[in-house]
Amino acid sequence: MGDRGVVLTRGDGVAPEVETFHRNTKQLLGFDDYQLRSAGGIERYLELVLIAYTLAETQPGLLGSRDTDQPPPSLGDVCRQSQHRAQTLFVRWLYTQFERGATVEAVCHRLTG
């Protein structure tokens, strides 16, 4: 029949890492929060979550301190920092729109396409 894959058990030390990956991607990155109907849409969403996870795990210094005396931020820290930055940029964008005289309707239309 051929090899159908590797069976992970707690004895080999791999299963806890897989469990941690699943917990982190579900709790911190919304891995199971998709509400798409097409298989292609779901696939793209999951790929984006995996890219975000890989980036956060391999490049924590992108959002965290570059001070070598500090430990690198956790995945949760990176996610919270990223969310805070995105929210801050969004509020600044909103402020700029209203400062330039945009109406609520115009901003809503722009946001919803």
mmCIF file of all heavy atoms in Angstrom, residues 24 27 37 90:
data_model
loop_
_atom_site.group_PDB
_atom_site.id
_atom_site.type_symbol
_atom_site.label_atom_id
_atom_site.label_comp_id
_atom_site.label_asym_id
_atom_site.label_seq_id
_atom_site.Cartn_x
_atom_site.Cartn_y
_atom_site.Cartn_z
ATOM 1 N N ASN A 24 -2.436 27.527 18.956
ATOM 2 C CA ASN A 24 -2.049 28.905 18.639
ATOM 3 C C ASN A 24 -2.725 29.419 17.374
ATOM 4 O O ASN A 24 -3.181 30.562 17.334
ATOM 5 C CB ASN A 24 -0.535 29.018 18.496
ATOM 6 C CG ASN A 24 0.179 28.993 19.814
ATOM 7 O OD1 ASN A 24 -0.426 29.226 20.859
ATOM 8 N ND2 ASN A 24 1.462 28.691 19.802
ATOM 9 N N GLN A 27 -6.562 29.914 18.370
ATOM 10 C CA GLN A 27 -6.849 30.953 19.357
ATOM 11 C C GLN A 27 -6.324 32.320 18.941
ATOM 12 O O GLN A 27 -6.976 33.334 19.181
ATOM 13 C CB GLN A 27 -6.261 30.575 20.717
ATOM 14 C CG GLN A 27 -6.944 29.396 21.352
ATOM 15 C CD GLN A 27 -6.287 28.988 22.662
ATOM 16 O OE1 GLN A 27 -5.234 29.522 23.044
ATOM 17 N NE2 GLN A 27 -6.888 28.036 23.359
ATOM 18 N N ARG A 37 -17.579 30.077 1.457
ATOM 19 C CA ARG A 37 -18.339 28.979 0.857
ATOM 20 C C ARG A 37 -17.535 28.207 -0.178
ATOM 21 O O ARG A 37 -17.728 27.022 -0.349
ATOM 22 C CB ARG A 37 -19.619 29.510 0.232
ATOM 23 C CG ARG A 37 -20.554 30.056 1.275
ATOM 24 C CD ARG A 37 -21.800 30.591 0.628
ATOM 25 N NE ARG A 37 -22.601 31.295 1.617
ATOM 26 C CZ ARG A 37 -23.748 30.858 2.078
ATOM 27 N NH1 ARG A 37 -24.252 29.735 1.658
ATOM 28 N NH2 ARG A 37 -24.407 31.558 2.972
ATOM 29 N N PHE A 90 -5.994 52.165 11.276
ATOM 30 C CA PHE A 90 -7.372 52.330 10.821
ATOM 31 C C PHE A 90 -7.999 53.581 11.429
ATOM 32 O O PHE A 90 -8.641 54.372 10.725
ATOM 33 C CB PHE A 90 -8.199 51.089 11.162
ATOM 34 C CG PHE A 90 -9.635 51.202 10.746
ATOM 35 C CD1 PHE A 90 -9.982 51.269 9.409
ATOM 36 C CD2 PHE A 90 -10.636 51.254 11.694
ATOM 37 C CE1 PHE A 90 -11.309 51.380 9.016
ATOM 38 C CE2 PHE A 90 -11.966 51.362 11.326
ATOM 39 C CZ PHE A 90 -12.307 51.430 9.976
#
